[in-house]
Amino acid sequence: MQGPGHERFDTDVCVVGGGPGGLVLALLMLRSGARVMVVERALWHQREYRGEILQPGAMKLLDDIGVLVGARARGAREHDRLRLVEGGRVLLNADYRLLPPPYDHLLSIPQPHVLEELLVHCLRSPGFGYLAGRRVSGLLRGDGGRVAGVTSDGPFGPCTVRARVVVGADGRFSRIRRLAGIAADHVPAFDRDLLWFKLVSERPHSAASARDVLVFRAGSTPVLVHESWPDRIQFGWTLPHRAYRHLAARGLEYVKEELARAVPPYAALIREQIRSSGDMSLLDVFCARAERWADEGLVLIGDAAHTHSPIGGQGINLAIQDAVVLHPLLVDALAAGDLSRARLAAFEERRSRDIAAVLRLQALQSRSELPCGPSPAGMWPGLVRVIRRTPLHRTMLRRVAYGNPSIRVSGAVGARRGRP
């Protein structure tokens, strides 16, 4: 029974999850005339964000939507190359400057900068609602068991959101997916531990090396390193699944020395600035795919539908692409009054090939980062030099950078302006 303090809302689209994919979809649906309510578990700015690399494909889509320039103006850093390094030698060198401008680089941008800009644009529409600090507690069901909205609770009290369609954009541990009874199959080969931390940079960002995203290959434990706005260096240490607890059992100093050996240029910063285990965050990294992405009145996007390894910085980009692909399909479904599973399943049909291609690409990238023979360091540089002289190099680079280049914003508004 609903008490007097129970809020009730009615909308066309209820998006659960206020990340990049959820807010991009919300903005596009608002511009198409739909009413949208976003339900986000975290209170604004009370959430820790780690992934912040945008590939050129995501930058282009955000530019088409008209939010990239404003997001960049809040603070970001460009990176020209992604380099795989072992023992002081460059094994792989993906040079984004070979791509046509203005998207001839990677962009390290704090997620709040993107989310704040998207939210500013959403709030211009009278049909938009944003419920922060709300944890979804259940799904509303209509005729025939069709999903008809959500119930949620939080510090502001319980509420009910009735909607014509619910979109689960709530990440790899999606509560919406679990409430809908949709299973997700894991890909065991990608199960890893990931130790994330940031240190204060002690060198000017104008240095040439500051424009590289580096992967230091150290045995089976590669470390991702890149400069992060405003004055930080972000690290991601990839470890075999459940291996970190064995390292941690040997003490913090042992962990620091292992890291220092893996990334020699940053050894001094690691020894000076990591003072407790609380300075680092451990993530359980895995790849998975939901057994289906749609149900009656429900559709899943981003990590809720297909969860990826952080290899290649694809997570945010895929979520944004999902939102762009789903937008016209959802507009048509609302107009037709048909939010059936059969109708919404067109989204999975459209995206399945792209997602499978990314998984294959990540598998290839994973093999390049891990030992692949008795003397890989001696073989890779020569092989890479040969490949760089062929069209294959640019083809592979474009695939990593853009994914499916045919994805376009339907009825795009806002000028494409690239760099501010």
Side-chain angles (χ1 to χ4, degrees), residues 230-371:
D231 60 353
R232 296 291 190 270
I233 305 173
Q234 183 156 301
F235 297 78
W237 188 19
T238 303
L239 297 161
H241 194 43
R242 297 176 180 169
Y244 180 69
R245 61 184 178 185
H246 299 295
L247 293 173
R250 303 182 69 169
L252 180 63
E253 291 305 313
Y254 180 81
V255 172
K256 289 167 61 173
E257 288 308 309
E258 288 293 294
L259 272 168
R261 279 193 288 272
V263 286
Y266 304 94
L269 292 182
I270 288 168
R271 292 177 179 127
E272 292 167 8
Q273 295 187 27
I274 296 179
R275 298 181 177 88
S276 74
S277 59
D279 294 330
M280 303 175 287
S281 299
L282 183 66
L283 303 178
D284 179 9
V285 174
F286 58 87
C287 287
R289 176 168 173 153
E291 62 181 0
R292 63 182 184 277
W293 300 358
D295 221 331
E296 300 292 324
L298 171 70
V299 62
L300 305 174
I301 67 171
D303 277 351
H306 46 84
T307 305
H308 295 263
S309 159
I311 292 172
Q314 295 289 338
I316 300 173
N317 306 285
L318 291 174
I320 291 171
Q321 289 175 351
D322 277 2
V324 169
V325 170
L326 179 60
H327 162 232
L329 300 176
L330 209 51
V331 169
D332 291 345
L334 287 169
D338 181 4
L339 284 308
S340 66
R341 174 179 170 181
R343 180 93 182 212
L344 297 176
F347 168 65
E348 184 175 359
E349 293 170 9
R350 170 77 191 276
R351 285 293 277 159
S352 283
R353 274 190 175 183
D354 296 341
I355 298 309
V358 169
L359 282 172
R360 289 194 299 270
L361 184 61
Q362 288 193 318
L364 179 63
Q365 290 174 294
S366 178
R367 287 194 293 271
S368 74
E369 291 181 10
L370 299 175

Side-chain angles (χ1 to χ4, degrees), residues 107-183:
L107 191 68
S108 172
I109 181 168
Q111 267 199 54
H113 294 187
V114 177
L115 301 182
E116 288 166 7
E117 188 67 17
L118 284 165
L119 190 59
V120 164
H121 285 258
C122 287
L123 288 169
R124 293 172 182 168
S125 171
F128 179 65
Y130 188 79
L131 297 173
R134 309 283 184 142
R135 178 180 179 272
V136 170
S137 54
L139 293 176
L140 299 177
R141 298 283 183 174
D143 295 339
R146 182 183 69 85
V147 174
V150 303
T151 58
S152 71
D153 50 41
F156 306 108
C159 73
T160 296
V161 180
R162 293 195 172 274
R164 297 175 65 189
V165 63
V166 172
V167 178
D170 51 341
R172 63 179 54 215
F173 300 107
S174 173
R175 184 167 178 79
I176 290 296
R177 186 180 66 219
R178 294 198 304 275
L179 288 170
I182 299 175

